[in-house]
Amino acid sequence: MYSAVDSLWVAVAIAMMLLMQAGFTMLETGFTRAKNAGNIAMKNLTDFVIGSIVFWTIGFGFIHNSSLGGIIGKIDLFSTGDYTIGAIPVTLYLVFQMLFCCTAATIVSGAMAGRTRFSAYIACSALISAIVYPMSAHWIWNEAGWLNQLGFHDFAGSSAVHLVGGTAALVGAKMLGPRIGKYDSNGKSRAIPGQSMSFGVLGIFLLWFGWYGFDAGSTLSITGDEAINTVSNIIFNVTVCAATASITAMFFSWKRYSKPDISMTFNGALAGLVAITSGCDEMKPLGAVITGLVVGFVVIYAIEFVDNTLKIDDPVGAISAHGISGAIGTILTGVFSVKSGFLYTGYFKFFFIQILGVLAVFVWAFVSMTVIFALIKKTIGIRVSEEEESRGLDASEHGSVMGVFAGHMSHNITHPTPESIIKAIDLDSLNMDELPNEYKKVDGKMRKVVVVMNPNRLEVLMKALDRIEVTGMTVTNVSGCGIQKGNTEYYRGSELESHLIPKVKVEIVISTVPLTVLISTVKKAIYTGKIGDGKIFVYEVEKVVKVRTGAEGIEALE
């Protein structure tokens, strides 16, 4: 007989957990560039809609059906088997588990943001939902699973969900390679700021809200004093662990970087949520606080290690906040569990079982995702072209102009261009010393040259101008309106007549550099042969006054 109260409790938890997908979307959008915002939204929706169907079709049975040697459940297409899950309908529990599965898949999205083919991501998400997550979840949550038989404890998925997702993110980001301009020629990491920390904190709050359903909802019951006390303890532990981790990350980043880092503080909160998920039902509040302290420190070191040492570009810190924090939280359950932790029992067996479980889950996820990404890379390809990445995935992968316009509103629509592109531009003939005398003639006039151009070519232009000794310029982010033949775009199936797109306006005043040299340099630097390369405007300047010294004319330009 079903329990109406328990069924309602799980249904409410499901609704809360669904908002976690919105939380991941906002967090990833805030930590990345605006030109990829629509692509991130699509990936997070796709995780759920495709992952749910795949999981229902095959994944659920792999977890909960009769075990084959403690490794994986028997195939049960469309989950039609006889499953008894507490006092709730099996279909309700299936949806509950769907959201666990989709969470594991969506973690990959942030680490691979800004350069992944959408088709490759769909394939990755489907395979995680079909086999990668279900197999390790079977080990942990099926009564006949080999880790379950050993006594391994992961109440709501620090390892089963987050370590799997974080490891998949590690493999995917490594095989994908960094975003254009993330590392300089010497391998030094460059900061690529996200578009909005306000989006980021909204994502954290949505995730935190959903996490109560994720962890407390995993009791699957709220009937009776014991269940109510367990739920209350879980909610309290989740709150204090995440809060402590966030505070720790804030103060540690303050000391380390001289300012309290916003993104690191957010990552600290997420790390705390992930870490407590394993032992939230068996820890006292003190254990939750200490867990938060540990991961609050570790997540910052982990993000730096992944970025600077491993040279893996993870825009949102998913590898550290989910993978590493999930592993640490699972291991610390072996310390602070009031039932089995060595701090309370004096025995280390359970602690070592937790370590074994973490290693097993990591190895499985690492090996399986390496094979999956290698197959995807070999067949449909995993990464977009440099040109598509520079345009932004909203435009190149989805034909969306809304994301392009949003990119104009961001402070970071321009970005470093790969050295391969810069080297491909032949500027040798523009060496001032080697040009014919008649080409270097200067008539003594002051001229203002205005270039309206594609923002993705700005760094190429700046390097080219430096070659001809032009170092003074003013750069402004602007937008243009217009549409040309051969460049028709669509929104929701309707042809767009005109729209604003981001451009850069570069203003240069010259007097000693020949105008012909400057124009030739600019043309060579910004030319791609495609619509939208830009235009050059030349104006004569009557007078220039240098405010600080009062110098006028050519002297004011020197």
Side-chain angles (χ1 to χ4, degrees), residues 190-265:
R190 290 168 167 168
I192 303 179
Q195 63 164 316
S196 173
M197 290 298 102
S198 297
F199 287 172
V201 76
L202 177 58
I204 288 294
F205 278 124
L206 286 170
L207 286 168
W208 201 321
F209 176 79
W211 226 276
Y212 291 128
F214 199 89
D215 286 1
S218 292
T219 60
L220 304 179
S221 174
I222 199 169
T223 302
D225 290 348
E226 183 178 352
I228 292 172
N229 283 331
T230 300
V231 167
S232 300
N233 188 59
I234 289 171
I235 290 173
F236 191 83
N237 282 343
V238 167
T239 303
V240 297
C241 183
T244 302
S246 185
I247 292 169
T248 303
M250 178 182 71
F251 281 108
F252 185 46
S253 68
W254 202 333
K255 178 177 176 56
R256 194 165 179 80
Y257 311 130
S258 301
K259 298 287 184 181
D261 188 278
I262 299 172
S263 65
M264 289 296 195
T265 304

Side-chain angles (χ1 to χ4, degrees), residues 441-447 510-513 541 553-554:
K441 288 181 180 178
V442 179
D443 57 14
K445 293 182 180 180
M446 295 184 294
R447 292 183 175 86
I510 58 171
S511 60
T512 58
V513 176
V541 177
I554 294 176

Side-chain angles (χ1 to χ4, degrees), residues 20-59:
M20 291 174 67
Q21 291 296 120
F24 282 119
T25 302
M26 296 306 297
L27 182 65
E28 293 169 22
T29 300
F31 276 38
T32 54
R33 291 175 172 141
K35 63 184 180 179
N36 301 312
N39 175 257
I40 286 171
M42 278 288 286
K43 289 194 295 183
N44 279 276
L45 177 63
T46 302
D47 284 326
F48 179 66
V49 296
I50 290 181
S52 296
I53 300 301
V54 171
F55 185 72
W56 167 51
T57 303
I58 193 168

Side-chain angles (χ1 to χ4, degrees), residues 22 42 55 66 96 118 123 146 246 338 348 362 400 405 434 450 455 481:
M42 278 288 286
F55 185 72
S66 300
F96 185 80
F118 186 63
W146 72 273
S246 185
V338 296
F348 284 85
F362 171 76
S400 169
F405 177 74
E434 298 176 1
V450 178
C481 180

Side-chain angles (χ1 to χ4, degrees), residues 360-433:
V361 171
F362 171 76
V363 170
W364 159 246
F366 187 89
V367 172
S368 61
M369 291 309 303
T370 299
V371 172
I372 286 170
F373 279 120
L375 289 173
I376 293 173
K377 188 174 183 179
K378 188 73 173 179
T379 53
I380 61 178
I382 194 172
R383 182 165 183 153
V384 298
S385 67
E386 288 185 347
E387 179 188 345
E388 290 169 329
E389 182 179 341
S390 297
R391 287 180 63 203
L393 303 191
D394 288 7
S396 62
E397 287 284 281
H398 307 288
S400 169
V401 297
M402 301 306 291
V404 172
F405 177 74
H408 166 62
M409 304 306 292
S410 173
H411 68 280
N412 62 346
I413 59 173
T414 62
H415 55 81
T417 308
E419 294 296 324
S420 59
I421 294 179
I422 296 170
K423 291 176 181 177
I425 298 174
D426 181 14
L427 296 174
D428 291 339
S429 62
L430 300 176
N431 190 313
M432 293 290 288
D433 296 330

Side-chain angles (χ1 to χ4, degrees), residues 248-473:
T248 303
M250 178 182 71
F251 281 108
F252 185 46
S253 68
W254 202 333
K255 178 177 176 56
R256 194 165 179 80
Y257 311 130
S258 301
K259 298 287 184 181
D261 188 278
I262 299 172
S263 65
M264 289 296 195
T265 304
F266 295 172
N267 276 133
L270 184 55
L273 292 170
V274 169
I276 195 60
T277 296
S278 174
C280 57
D281 64 322
E282 293 188 356
M283 285 190 190
K284 289 184 176 180
L286 179 61
V289 168
I290 296 174
T291 299
L293 279 169
V294 172
V295 295
F297 278 111
V298 171
V299 73
I300 293 179
Y301 281 121
I303 289 170
E304 291 181 355
F305 177 76
V306 169
D307 189 23
N308 299 322
T309 303
L310 298 182
K311 307 297 182 186
I312 295 175
D313 181 14
D314 178 3
V316 303
I319 298 166
S320 305
H322 291 277
I324 295 174
S325 299
I328 291 172
T330 306
I331 293 170
L332 289 179
T333 301
V335 179
F336 297 113
S337 168
V338 296
K339 293 183 179 179
S340 309
F342 71 75
L343 196 64
Y344 293 90
T345 66
Y347 297 104
F348 284 85
K349 180 181 178 181
F350 177 64
F351 176 71
F352 289 119
I353 289 172
Q354 294 296 102
I355 294 175
L356 173 64
V358 165
L359 292 175
V361 171
F362 171 76
V363 170
W364 159 246
F366 187 89
V367 172
S368 61
M369 291 309 303
T370 299
V371 172
I372 286 170
F373 279 120
L375 289 173
I376 293 173
K377 188 174 183 179
K378 188 73 173 179
T379 53
I380 61 178
I382 194 172
R383 182 165 183 153
V384 298
S385 67
E386 288 185 347
E387 179 188 345
E388 290 169 329
E389 182 179 341
S390 297
R391 287 180 63 203
L393 303 191
D394 288 7
S396 62
E397 287 284 281
H398 307 288
S400 169
V401 297
M402 301 306 291
V404 172
F405 177 74
H408 166 62
M409 304 306 292
S410 173
H411 68 280
N412 62 346
I413 59 173
T414 62
H415 55 81
T417 308
E419 294 296 324
S420 59
I421 294 179
I422 296 170
K423 291 176 181 177
I425 298 174
D426 181 14
L427 296 174
D428 291 339
S429 62
L430 300 176
N431 190 313
M432 293 290 288
D433 296 330
E434 298 176 1
L435 290 173
N437 289 331
E438 61 270 18
Y439 198 57
K440 295 191 288 184
K441 288 181 180 178
V442 179
D443 57 14
K445 293 182 180 180
M446 295 184 294
R447 292 183 175 86
K448 178 181 180 181
V449 178
V450 178
V451 184
V452 179
M453 55 175 287
N454 186 326
N456 297 323
R457 306 293 288 185
L458 179 59
E459 185 171 329
V460 177
L461 176 62
M462 292 173 66
K463 290 193 175 186
L465 292 177
D466 187 61
R467 292 279 298 278
I468 60 170
E469 301 173 6
V470 174
T471 56
M473 68 187 75

